Amino acid sequence: MLGSLFLPLRNVLSPQAALEYANTHLQNARKANSSELALMYCNEAQKALARIRTSVRKALVSSVTVEDRAMRNEIASTYFELGELLENLKHPDKAQTCYKNSEKWG
């Protein structure tokens, strides 16, 4: 069951797909019965967001369209939520990385 939730490391994701995977993993992390499992889901969420291709990331950040701004805000919000979850799991360094990524996207 868990295998279908995780992507191979080489996949590059569109921003929409990355958000979908990341949010699915965040939901699973919130529902997890153990902190180890929650951390595993958080790591997968972070990996999914990191798989947005650099060229796409740069285009989104510099774009002024309403749709692109909305996508950036969603990504920033997801990174922020991930940071909060990691902070609650007693991983402040990982949380700070997510907060910084949230600022970069927002």
Side-chain angles (χ1 to χ4, degrees), residues 52 57 60-61 72-73 75-76 79 101-106:
I52 299 172
R57 191 175 304 152
L60 273 175
V61 169
R72 282 195 320 262
N73 289 339
I75 293 169
Y79 265 119
N101 284 328
S102 176
E103 286 177 23
K104 287 179 188 177
W105 280 98

Side-chain angles (χ1 to χ4, degrees), residues 29-55:
R30 286 186 201 102
K31 295 176 187 175
N33 293 330
S34 71
S35 60
E36 292 85 12
L37 187 58
L39 182 59
M40 182 181 73
Y41 282 122
C42 286
N43 287 336
E44 289 299 317
Q46 199 167 5
K47 287 178 193 175
L49 292 171
R51 289 186 191 144
I52 299 172
R53 184 171 283 218
T54 304
S55 59

Side-chain angles (χ1 to χ4, degrees), residues 4 8 25-26 29 32 45 47 57 67-68 70 74-75 81 100-101:
S4 64
H25 289 306
L26 284 177
K47 287 178 193 175
R57 191 175 304 152
E67 295 85 7
D68 288 346
E74 285 184 60
I75 293 169
E81 287 179 48
K100 287 177 186 176
N101 284 328

Side-chain angles (χ1 to χ4, degrees), residues 9 18 21 51 55 65 67 82 86 105:
L9 292 176
Y21 279 110
R51 289 186 191 144
S55 59
T65 67
E67 295 85 7
L82 181 57
L86 287 166
W105 280 98

